[in-house]
Amino acid sequence: MLVPVCVVAALLVVSARADATAPSFTLFESGQVRPLALSPDGRRLFAVNTPDNRLEVYSVHQGRLVHLTSVPVGLEPVALAARTNDEVWVVNHLSDSVSVVRLGRKGASGHVDRTLLVGDEPRDIVFAGPGRRRAFITAAHRGQNVPFDPQLTTPGVGRADVWVFDAGDLGRSLGGDPLAVITLFADTPRALAVSPDGSHVYAAGFHSGNRTTSVFETMVPDGFGPGGLSPPSTNFEQQPAPEVGIIVKWSGAHWVDTAGRTWDDAVKLSLPDKDVFVIDAMATRPALRPGPSGSFTGVGTVLYNMAVNPVNGAIYVSNTDANNLDRFEGPGTFAGQTVRGHLHESRITVIGANGVTPRHLNPHIDYAACCAAIPNQENAASLASPTGMAVSSNGETLYVAALGSSKVGVYRTAALESMTAPTARYQIPVTGGGPTGLVLDEPRQQLYVLTRFDNGISIVSTARRAEVNKVWMFNPEPESVVRGRPFLYDASFSSSHGDSSCASCHVFGDLDSLAWDLGNPDAPVVDHPGPFADDPLVNLITGEPITHPTFHPMKGPMTTQSLRGMANHGPMHWRGDRTGGNDAPSAQPDSGSFDERAAFEKFQGGFTELLGRHAPIPDADMEAFTDFVLQITYPPNPIRALDNSLTAEQQSGFEAFQSTLDINGKACIGCHVLDAEAGLFGTAGLSNFALETQLFKVPQLRNAYQKVGKFGFPAAFGFIPGDNGFTGDQIRGFGFIHDGSVDTIFRFLHALGFSTQFPPGGIPDPPGGEVIRRNLEAFVLAFDSNLAPIVGQQVTLTQTNAAVAGPRIHLLMSRADAGECDLVVKGQIAGRAVSYLYVGADELMADRQASPTVSGAALRARVTGAAARLTYTCAPPGSGDRIAIDRDADGFLDGDEEDACSDPADPASTP
């Protein structure tokens, strides 16, 4: 028997980072897609450890899992697929990469053998095609690694890609040579599935939409009633509501509003709503199936995942469908209508012999009644936010992970595929909560379920219909993150019906790419405390001072805003109406309107007035939710160059951003403050009069690139006319400004407030000013964000690819020298796992205290032998120590802990 030799010689060390004050964990809240997989022989279970950036490997036994090894991969892994028993491909959402992992003997070790570079924010992976050796990977149609122009300003271009690689011939270029990059006419993609014979791959859009769009305010005739806005014209206090835009939906023949009125002249685009696409995986060059059979429409609004029945080939799509055409939050007393408690419906849509047939998972809910105290029977029977799925080999049973209910629903597929409303045969609660993915182990009658709330894996007996055991993966997240996360997703806690949560709209803490009219006619008008960018505050249309600014509760359509990056950005919502400014004097950095904690806690009313909860959540829970949300961070901008430079066009736009004047006599940067050192990215939290019928907070600009895809705008008052014709099929119904009615940034810059028609002058009218507008648009799409573009980027060095990998390694090192990232190096040399942290001046520190630092060139020279590999990763500043050399942050280096037989993944286990 071999006994490990342990040497107790570890020393407590201090941080090796240049900036030891930065947080050791950065929260991105990436949504897991395919977090679990079994090896083909069924002996091992593979899991993504998203917060710890690792692949976890377990041996599978009856009623238990035994941990074998933990393999570092890219940042924010969200999906994986096992090609063989010893080869696993891992999709890294933040790193824009795929790690090809080779496992050692009996799965007891492993290393990244190759890193493939793909488009922005990849999400899913499957194997299909000849011999199932082709890997299909979804990614956004953008990013620094794409070999094409994403055409961000071109109408009618798909924004979703599927990258295809031949696993047997990955090519010799830096990021691999794809067989094809297939563009889908959809917004950012997410889920994939494979036909039973492997000949076809199904790809789904993520924020797929529901054929709704918004009409710009000046296109709606003034007043309320026929031809104008739908009533009521006041709130319950009889205070006149502002003139606003409206949301319309394509009926199949016309664009209609909630009252059934037609608005065809105000909409200059069409939305084909292509949701799920069919790819010929067997073709020499994989491609979309041509013709009408190549896509399916009407599947859902937000599509989470897909599974295929192995017997009849039916496709099951887990999704939610939004009711955003309906208006108003609150009880609906004064207006006679409300969406309270009925924002979305959780569904499984079946694509099969009967066409596309959505199935509501909660037909028992009485949406006409709200809001019973929790707990109640209706709530207990509900399943919310369906995500991962698995189908039994006989095709008769579908298992559905309900992220928002912390349960697994079990359905008869025959009931789902029939025309009757399905009811779950039974529901299986899972401890820990937040199930995102599952995999079925039929020989052992077990289901493995990844529970995101506690970063664990539940073992469920399908025979006993109960959880029988649990394992937990190491989690580096702060306790405040773990404690607060459930309040974003838990629909059973958030709503009386048990099917609505904040994440219903703020999908994985981000947005749903929709607009909603969530005014509340039953609420009062309240004072607007400011502060304002202009002093004095003047209505620039009438020239009159605004002496008593207010927030009217009937605000009109507003697009869902992200929960990312709200820290340090002042009051919240488009108008800044979630504010502490009425409770305390406003002063930087954290008082009144600048108190983000006070602002977010004003969302307490959303639980009762929108989600339909019987009462506010407890104050301590709201505090925990606030702690969590204010840590969510924007990812790096995928449009900006990896060296953080600007193109000539972007640089010209930046210069114009600092000098071009608007109607207020201010440059863009005068309101849209950009000060990275102060943590301001487009706003300082101030409000202003922007030639609108309401006062708005100056918005941040970090995610403008996410809103590309709507092209088409009528000749509306307030804009310089031009290019106002019908544009045909587009992928998004909502674009820019608060209600998403303006299609592009270029169009926004044609607003009269930026033109030379108003003193002191701005951008010349077309054609003279068009270059300036294009340059400004280019800069805004590449706008600075909290993290530099290099964060997450990777490269794997082998003994044969130094020529192509070398320049990328030097780029990563130079950006680390600039303080933009912490550079981590992990891999295998001479059959042994190694780990290093770049500490600057071309020196790297090993994870063993006794090991001397090594130069970059000397370390690269050690990569000799067929199995030698080093993977370089730019991690967020502050996280390098944890990711590279001290995983559990206990002050003892990982290599020293391994040598001393203590656990590097347990802060309570030290040498």
Side-chain angles (χ1 to χ4, degrees):
M1 177 179 179
L2 294 176
V3 179
V5 177
C6 302
V7 180
V8 183
L11 299 175
L12 189 68
V13 298
V14 297
S15 173
R17 288 181 288 108
D19 181 7
T21 62
S24 65
F25 184 85
T26 301
L27 177 62
F28 296 101
E29 201 57 18
S30 304
Q32 295 173 334
V33 183
R34 190 181 302 271
L36 295 172
L38 280 170
S39 60
D41 64 8
R43 295 181 179 181
R44 297 175 194 146
L45 178 71
F46 307 113
V48 295
N49 187 340
T50 302
D52 201 31
N53 311 307
R54 289 173 180 257
L55 165 69
E56 307 290 354
V57 183
Y58 298 87
S59 62
V60 176
H61 307 273
Q62 193 67 47
R64 64 191 179 97
L65 296 171
V66 177
H67 189 255
L68 296 176
T69 193
S70 180
V71 183
V73 288
L75 301 188
E76 300 288 298
V78 295
L80 54 79
R83 190 172 83 89
T84 68
N85 294 327
D86 303 311
E87 182 180 312
V88 184
W89 291 39
V90 182
V91 175
N92 306 306
H93 187 62
L94 192 79
S95 288
D96 301 346
S97 68
V98 178
S99 299
V100 180
V101 175
R102 302 281 184 188
L103 297 177
R105 185 171 178 270
K106 297 184 178 180
S109 63
H111 67 277
V112 173
D113 188 67
R114 182 76 185 265
T115 298
L116 304 176
L117 304 180
V118 294
D120 186 41
E121 296 185 334
R123 284 186 166 92
D124 201 8
I125 181 170
V126 295
F127 287 100
R132 296 193 183 244
R133 70 173 184 270
R134 291 176 173 175
F136 294 75
I137 300 140
T138 52
H141 187 77
R142 58 179 185 249
Q144 295 93 340
N145 298 319
V146 300
F148 50 78
D149 176 4
Q151 298 177 284
L152 298 175
T153 61
T154 303
V157 173
R159 301 294 159 193
D161 290 333
V162 177
W163 292 59
V164 187
F165 290 91
D166 182 344
D169 183 10
L170 295 178
R172 296 186 177 184
S173 66
L174 176 67
D177 300 325
L179 283 175
V181 179
I182 304 166
T183 298
L184 315 177
F185 198 75
D187 207 345
T188 304
R190 181 171 159 91
L192 294 166
V194 182
S195 62
D197 63 358
S199 64
H200 291 89
V201 168
Y202 308 108
F206 184 17
H207 300 171
S208 196
N210 58 359
R211 286 180 167 166
T212 56
T213 189
S214 52
V215 174
F216 185 67
E217 181 267 324
T218 63
M219 294 298 296
V220 181
D222 291 345
F224 291 77
L229 292 168
S230 295
S233 60
T234 73
N235 72 333
F236 80 103
E237 299 172 317
Q238 301 303 309
Q239 294 294 315
E243 298 280 347
V244 296
I246 59 171
I247 297 172
V248 296
K249 187 169 186 174
W250 181 249
S251 68
H254 298 286
W255 292 101
V256 298
D257 63 13
T258 187
R261 300 175 301 177
T262 299
W263 297 88
D264 292 353
D265 290 342
V267 180
K268 297 299 181 180
L269 53 82
S270 58
L271 296 172
D273 189 35
K274 295 181 179 181
D275 296 326
V276 175
F277 300 80
V278 184
I279 297 172
D280 181 355
M282 301 298 289
T284 302
R285 181 182 175 85
L288 287 173
R289 177 192 284 173
S293 65
S295 62
F296 301 96
T297 66
V299 177
T301 307
V302 179
L303 312 183
Y304 286 98
N305 223 312
M306 294 191 291
V308 173
N309 190 308
V311 176
N312 64 15
I315 309 165
Y316 308 114
V317 186
S318 58
N319 68 91
T320 57
D321 198 49
N323 296 322
N324 64 313
L325 185 65
D326 296 337
R327 304 165 70 203
F328 302 139
E329 66 176 16
T333 304
F334 186 75
Q337 58 181 303
T338 180
V339 296
R340 182 177 67 173
H342 194 191
L343 288 90
H344 297 77
E345 292 183 357
S346 294
R347 313 190 310 184
I348 300 294
T349 296
V350 182
I351 303 173
N354 295 321
V356 177
T357 51
R359 299 293 183 229
H360 186 199
L361 297 183
N362 300 303
H364 64 282
I365 293 179
D366 179 8
Y367 288 111
C370 186
C371 306
I374 300 171
N376 62 67
Q377 290 184 345
E378 185 181 72
N379 180 294
S382 296
L383 290 174
S385 303
T387 50
M389 295 174 289
V391 189
S392 61
S393 60
N394 62 12
E396 296 179 359
T397 304
L398 176 70
Y399 299 88
V400 181
L403 171 63
S405 306
S406 295
K407 294 182 287 191
V408 175
V410 185
Y411 291 87
R412 293 187 185 278
T413 54
L416 283 170
E417 294 170 23
S418 72
M419 299 307 290
T420 59
T423 17
R425 291 174 63 193
Y426 46 88
Q427 299 176 0
I428 306 170
V430 286
T431 61
T436 57
L438 41 77
V439 64
L440 185 60
D441 181 358
E442 289 185 295
R444 298 177 182 85
Q445 294 185 299
Q446 292 181 163
L447 190 71
Y448 308 111
V449 185
L450 195 147
T451 50
R452 183 65 184 91
F453 294 171
D454 66 348
N455 208 37
I457 303 171
S458 294
I459 304 172
V460 172
S461 168
T462 56
R464 294 166 55 184
R465 304 174 186 174
E467 181 180 303
V468 295
N469 209 340
K470 184 99 182 200
V471 296
W472 290 269
M473 296 178 283
F474 174 69
N475 189 355
E477 295 174 328
E479 174 58 29
S480 57
V481 169
V482 177
R483 166 89 170 90
R485 176 175 285 118
F487 301 114
L488 174 61
Y489 300 98
D490 190 350
S492 61
F493 175 81
S494 299
S495 61
S496 292
H497 292 318
D499 70 335
S500 297
S501 71
C502 298
S504 298
C505 296
H506 298 285
V507 181
F508 295 112
D510 198 16
L511 39 74
D512 59 5
S513 301
L514 300 174
W516 299 76
D517 187 347
L518 298 178
N520 185 353
D522 293 294
V525 173
V526 298
D527 290 340
H528 190 322
F532 300 100
D534 303 313
D535 185 16
L537 185 62
V538 176
N539 183 320
L540 297 173
I541 297 175
T542 66
E544 297 294 322
I546 302 174
T547 58
H548 186 197
T550 60
F551 294 122
H552 196 287
M554 296 168 64
K555 56 190 176 183
M558 304 273 175
T559 56
T560 304
Q561 290 184 298
S562 179
L563 299 183
R564 296 168 169 175
M566 294 197 300
N568 202 45
H569 279 71
M572 298 171 187
H573 263 184
W574 280 103
R575 301 187 302 175
D577 53 21
R578 296 298 186 266
T579 176
N582 285 321
D583 303 321
S586 295
Q588 289 281 18
D590 294 310
S591 181
S593 293
F594 300 108
D595 183 348
E596 288 83 11
R597 295 191 62 84
F600 187 75
E601 288 173 5
K602 296 294 183 181
F603 285 102
Q604 174 73 269
F607 287 96
T608 53
E609 302 304 308
L610 183 56
L611 300 182
R613 196 177 194 273
H614 70 288
I617 69 173
D619 289 345
D621 293 340
M622 193 67 199
E623 284 283 333
F625 190 18
T626 304
D627 289 339
F628 164 73
V629 162
L630 292 180
Q631 295 180 69
I632 304 177
T633 304
Y634 271 107
N637 188 309
I639 310 305
R640 197 146 173 159
L642 291 180
D643 64 1
N644 215 3
S645 65
L646 297 175
T647 65
E649 186 181 28
Q650 293 163 358
Q651 180 63 39
S652 295
F654 177 49
E655 292 167 4
F657 191 79
Q658 299 175 87
S659 61
T660 301
L661 302 183
D662 66 5
I663 191 173
N664 292 291
K666 291 186 176 181
C668 303
I669 201 169
C671 290
H672 293 284
V673 177
L674 175 56
D675 185 342
E677 289 188 6
L680 301 176
F681 299 97
T683 183
L686 306 181
S687 296
N688 69 353
F689 180 85
L691 299 180
E692 294 278 359
T693 59
Q694 304 177 78
L695 298 173
F696 284 91
K697 175 189 169 183
V698 178
Q700 61 84 26
L701 299 175
R702 287 165 290 183
N703 64 340
Y705 65 87
Q706 286 184 283
K707 301 184 178 187
V708 169
K710 177 182 181 181
F711 293 87
F713 188 77
F717 175 75
F719 285 83
I720 299 169
D723 188 26
N724 300 118
F726 181 72
T727 60
D729 287 351
Q730 305 300 326
I731 63 166
R732 288 176 58 92
F734 300 96
F736 296 89
I737 78 168
H738 62 281
D739 61 4
S741 60
V742 176
D743 56 345
T744 66
I745 298 171
F746 184 63
R747 178 88 59 191
F748 174 72
L749 293 169
H750 284 80
L752 293 180
F754 300 113
S755 77
T756 53
Q757 297 181 31
F758 290 91
I763 307 172
D765 286 357
E770 299 299 69
V771 171
I772 297 174
R773 291 183 177 90
R774 284 298 183 194
N775 292 342
L776 277 166
E777 179 182 45
F779 171 66
V780 170
L781 290 172
F783 206 79
D784 299 62
S785 192
N786 299 71
L787 296 169
I790 201 67
V791 171
Q793 294 298 311
Q794 295 190 288
V795 63
T796 295
L797 175 68
T798 72
Q799 70 170 354
T800 61
N801 75 343
V804 293
R808 176 60 69 101
I809 292 171
H810 287 299
L811 172 65
L812 300 181
M813 294 179 72
S814 70
R815 303 328 298 165
D817 284 333
E820 293 181 355
C821 70
D822 286 356
L823 182 57
V824 172
V825 185
K826 287 182 174 286
Q828 176 175 282
I829 294 177
R832 183 179 183 182
V834 296
S835 187
Y836 293 87
L837 174 66
Y838 181 62
V839 293
D842 196 39
E843 292 293 313
L844 295 103
M845 172 184 176
D847 64 349
R848 286 174 170 81
Q849 186 72 7
S851 299
T853 59
V854 60
S855 71
L859 180 60
R860 294 191 294 275
R862 295 178 185 177
V863 181
T864 58
R869 299 289 188 275
L870 286 178
T871 297
Y872 293 71
T873 305
C874 256
S879 63
D881 280 16
R882 175 181 58 79
I883 296 175
I885 58 176
D886 187 7
R887 184 181 180 191
D888 57 10
D890 61 359
F892 293 91
L893 299 184
D894 293 342
D896 291 336
E897 289 212 55
E898 292 169 357
D899 293 342
C901 291
S902 63
D903 187 353
D906 182 359
S909 172
T910 60

